[in-house]
Amino acid sequence: MKNSLLMILLLSLTVQAQNTQDQKAIKSMCGCYEIKFNFTETFSYPQDTTHYKPSAVKHETALEWAELIEDEPYRKSIQHLLIVGKGMIVKHWREDWLFENTAFYEYNGFNDWKFKTRTKQNVKGQWTQKVYEVDDKPRYEGTATWVHTDGRTFWQNTTNAPLPRREYTQRSDYNITKRFNGLEMVQKGWIHNQDNDKIIRDKKGNDVLLAQEKGYNTYTKVDDLKCEAAQKWWKENQDFWKKVRTKWNAEFAKNKDLKLLAELDGKPLHIHLQKLASNASQEQINQVIDRFIVAE
């Protein structure tokens, strides 16, 4: 009896220690970072080899502020803000981290997301990373266990996603990016390692692999003062974006498939939101987003 209780206690302490390490890793991605984005198409398998044009190699740099906007034991939320030009701030992507989450929105390729569930046993000990667009609509999400071993801390997952901006502004010959995301904490920041499949999906759900690409993005932490303009911008605009998140969270809580319009009146959602006053009401924000949600 004593041995059983001791084993339970040791297991509980081990789980607690693991969770503490997990949370530390997630929160370490916050702060001011100099980023280097690197992407190259590695292999292609087009049926029409004569007219196929691979994506150009991308090497870009950026300065980004990552703000921790929610910090609960089993839920973290990080807002990313780009600093471009002479201090102009661009609201970038957001990521939520949920412990042992069982509800998912899986991208289906036609500006729609299928609602999926997993059992508690399937996600035991895992953290889900939910990634959102600049207007806080869904992008992609996946679940995996944080690994802390041999002096390394990393998280790896494969999931479907819409095309990134660097791709959808240039091409429309595929509609799903199957992303392998590897996040690894390193001494001076963190690394986002990607091995992605460019997939053509038809309406029946059949997938054809068009090409593959390698992505290697490095986040090097610098003095927070370099991102002071972004910190100031967020303080001035966080209430507006909290209302936007409130609306989206209400939609996600319905636990059903979601389909959105890509544009309305020739403009995407984030442009319509930008037209609203910074003190816009919850109702005004809801009305704008509702116009983009396709009814069943």
Side-chain angles (χ1 to χ4, degrees), residues 152-174:
R152 296 177 61 198
T153 292
F154 60 92
W155 180 96
Q156 297 177 336
N157 172 262
T158 301
T159 191
N160 290 344
L163 276 61
R165 180 177 176 80
R166 60 187 159 78
E167 287 284 274
Y168 75 70
T169 56
Q170 303 296 322
R171 49 193 298 185
S172 58
D173 54 342
Y174 70 102

Side-chain angles (χ1 to χ4, degrees), residues 229-247:
Q231 298 169 52
K232 181 176 182 292
W233 185 93
W234 183 248
K235 287 180 180 179
E236 295 171 350
N237 292 275
Q238 61 181 335
D239 288 345
F240 177 92
W241 290 103
K242 184 177 181 179
K243 294 172 187 174
V244 174
R245 295 197 305 277
T246 295
K247 169 58 177 173

Side-chain angles (χ1 to χ4, degrees), residues 21-260:
Q21 286 181 296
D22 295 349
Q23 293 187 53
K24 181 180 178 181
I26 293 167
K27 292 168 70 171
S28 72
M29 291 187 285
C30 298
C32 189
Y33 288 92
E34 290 179 350
I35 312 172
K36 293 182 179 179
F37 298 105
N38 302 280
F39 291 93
T40 185
E41 196 162 296
T42 52
F43 303 101
S44 58
Y45 315 94
Q47 294 181 351
D48 183 358
T49 57
T50 303
H51 298 96
Y52 181 77
K53 293 183 179 180
S55 297
V57 174
K58 293 281 187 181
H59 295 297
E60 296 180 354
T61 59
L63 183 64
E64 186 168 88
W65 173 250
E67 173 107 3
L68 184 66
I69 60 175
E70 289 187 46
D71 186 12
E72 301 296 332
Y74 299 123
R75 181 186 178 93
K76 314 290 180 188
S77 185
I78 303 172
Q79 177 62 61
H80 295 255
L81 302 167
L82 281 176
I83 304 171
V84 298
K86 296 182 179 180
M88 187 178 83
I89 308 303
V90 177
K91 182 182 178 294
H92 207 195
W93 59 293
R94 187 182 104 239
E95 55 182 317
D96 289 352
W97 288 88
L98 280 64
F99 185 65
E100 296 186 346
N101 165 65
T102 58
F104 297 84
Y105 280 88
E106 181 180 296
Y107 188 64
N108 187 49
F110 302 94
N111 215 36
D112 65 327
W113 290 259
K114 300 297 184 183
F115 179 73
K116 307 282 187 178
T117 59
R118 298 192 185 186
T119 66
K120 290 183 178 181
Q121 188 62 35
N122 287 155
V123 298
K124 189 173 180 59
Q126 296 184 356
W127 285 84
T128 296
Q129 183 199 40
K130 292 177 175 274
V131 173
Y132 303 88
E133 298 278 10
V134 297
D135 45 26
D136 286 327
K137 69 186 178 187
R139 182 161 175 75
Y140 64 85
E141 48 196 70
T143 183
T145 303
W146 277 95
V147 179
H148 314 277
T149 187
D150 296 334
R152 296 177 61 198
T153 292
F154 60 92
W155 180 96
Q156 297 177 336
N157 172 262
T158 301
T159 191
N160 290 344
L163 276 61
R165 180 177 176 80
R166 60 187 159 78
E167 287 284 274
Y168 75 70
T169 56
Q170 303 296 322
R171 49 193 298 185
S172 58
D173 54 342
Y174 70 102
N175 57 349
I176 288 180
T177 302
K178 187 175 184 179
R179 304 174 58 116
F180 165 81
N181 293 303
L183 312 180
E184 181 162 0
M185 306 302 106
V186 293
Q187 187 174 6
K188 295 183 179 180
W190 60 284
I191 295 168
H192 186 187
N193 190 27
Q194 300 177 49
D195 287 290
N196 301 328
D197 290 346
K198 300 179 179 183
I199 291 174
I200 305 168
R201 173 171 292 181
D202 65 23
K203 291 289 187 177
K204 295 181 179 180
N206 301 309
D207 292 348
V208 175
L209 178 61
L210 178 65
Q212 294 172 300
E213 73 171 1
K214 179 68 181 178
Y216 191 79
N217 304 332
T218 59
Y219 289 71
T220 303
K221 185 165 280 191
V222 295
D223 195 309
D224 285 356
L225 289 175
K226 286 191 173 184
C227 292
E228 193 171 17
Q231 298 169 52
K232 181 176 182 292
W233 185 93
W234 183 248
K235 287 180 180 179
E236 295 171 350
N237 292 275
Q238 61 181 335
D239 288 345
F240 177 92
W241 290 103
K242 184 177 181 179
K243 294 172 187 174
V244 174
R245 295 197 305 277
T246 295
K247 169 58 177 173
W248 280 121
N249 287 339
E251 293 302 320
F252 301 148
K254 294 177 181 178
N255 292 342
K256 64 178 185 178
D257 297 348
L258 179 66
K259 184 172 180 59
L260 302 174

